[in-house]
Amino acid sequence: AQSVAQPEDQVNVAEGNPLTVKCTYSVSGNPYLFWYVQYPNRGLQFLLKYITGDNLVKGSYGFEAEFNKSQTSFHLKKPSALVSDSALYFCAVRALSGSARQLTFGSGTQLTVLP
Amino acid sequence: EAQVTQNPRYLITVTGKKLTVTCSQNMNHEYMSWYRQDPGLGLRQIYYSMNVEVTDKGDVPEGYKVSRKEKRNFPLILESPSPNQTSLYFCASSRKASSAANEKLFFGSGTQLSVL
């Protein structure tokens, strides 16, 4: 069975500082990896995905994520946080050979950027 | 505007009273899915649909029904709601079912359901 762990329920960072939201995964074979963001009272929005190729993936709003196969991690990063980045972030994984339904989400990490 | 529309946004009901949450997408997407979001558990898939008249169970289908009679609509039906179905529900869609594994999902704004 595949799984996603987001070890931090809450991450606080000062505006202008770099931020990291952690994600580790477990899946049979090669993974598809995703990050989604949820703003208050909104549905999830796609940020970025890793399918294959370059381990550093760039996405929306200046976010990027680094795929590390040996550590089975896919941490979300941003060089300089904004107050408007405050939201709930979800990591998700699907096996390369999996069916459409087998997208597993993590439990989410609440990011708060302090002014 | 391309979007996934869910209604209602908020719903309070009582145990056993049948209800339907509607979901409609205007992007001609093949794949549609329902999730529930609970604190500390993330999103869990309830049902999904690969195309019209093709539906299948997700990870937590008990107590729910769905139908896909038209490509754009994918309603979620609770025949006899119970308090443990109190949750935040999201409908999502993606473009192609055949490549759904690497397609991004488009989500609705959510339906907060409370079953008393």
Side-chain angles (χ1 to χ4, degrees):
Chain A
Q2 59 195 42
S3 63
V4 177
Q6 293 183 241
E8 300 157 318
D9 293 335
Q10 174 84 38
V11 170
N12 296 327
V13 64
E15 187 174 29
N17 282 1
L19 69 87
T20 298
V21 182
K22 296 179 180 177
C23 171
T24 59
Y25 66 90
S26 174
V27 70
S28 297
N30 293 319
Y32 289 139
L33 292 155
F34 301 80
W35 277 101
Y36 286 85
V37 58
Q38 184 180 25
Y39 298 102
N41 300 313
R42 302 291 299 274
L44 280 72
Q45 297 176 30
F46 171 80
L47 267 183
L48 51 80
K49 66 180 178 181
Y50 172 82
I51 304 299
T52 187
D54 194 346
N55 289 343
L56 185 64
V57 179
K58 294 189 183 298
S60 307
Y61 313 121
F63 284 93
E64 59 189 26
E66 186 168 12
F67 171 63
N68 187 317
K69 189 172 184 177
S70 63
Q71 297 185 4
T72 61
S73 67
F74 190 56
H75 301 331
L76 182 70
K77 300 182 180 183
K78 187 173 182 180
S80 179
L82 300 172
V83 172
S84 58
D85 292 330
S86 298
L88 186 58
Y89 290 82
F90 290 95
C91 182
V93 68
R94 181 187 280 121
L96 202 69
S97 58
S99 66
R101 80 171 184 90
Q102 292 172 334
L103 181 64
T104 300
F105 284 86
S107 56
T109 298
Q110 181 67 50
L111 172 67
T112 300
V113 180
L114 305 167
Chain B
E1 180 188 356
Q3 59 186 359
V4 178
T5 303
Q6 288 179 236
N7 281 296
R9 182 72 179 87
Y10 300 95
L11 181 56
I12 300 174
T13 190
V14 295
T15 299
K17 185 175 182 181
K18 181 180 178 179
L19 66 90
T20 299
V21 182
T22 63
C23 174
S24 180
Q25 49 88 9
N26 63 0
M27 297 170 279
N28 200 36
H29 283 176
E30 287 185 355
Y31 178 86
M32 297 186 75
S33 181
W34 277 102
Y35 294 87
R36 59 177 289 173
Q37 182 182 7
D38 300 291
L41 297 178
L43 275 77
R44 294 179 291 169
Q45 191 176 45
I46 303 170
Y47 269 93
Y48 67 100
S49 170
M50 300 285 275
N51 214 324
V52 175
E53 301 292 1
V54 181
T55 64
D56 207 349
K57 297 177 180 178
D59 297 315
V60 289
E62 295 77 19
Y64 305 94
K65 286 175 57 178
V66 293
S67 68
R68 187 93 181 271
K69 292 183 172 55
E70 305 165 285
K71 197 171 187 179
R72 63 183 294 127
N73 295 324
F74 191 46
L76 179 69
I77 303 158
L78 284 72
E79 294 271 2
S80 183
S82 62
N84 65 11
Q85 292 178 299
T86 292
S87 186
L88 179 58
Y89 291 86
F90 288 101
C91 180
S93 69
S94 66
R95 189 170 56 95
K96 294 285 287 184
S98 59
S99 59
N102 63 4
E103 293 272 353
K104 67 180 182 182
L105 289 169
F106 292 80
F107 283 83
S109 296
T111 296
Q112 180 64 59
L113 173 65
S114 295
V115 183
L116 305 177

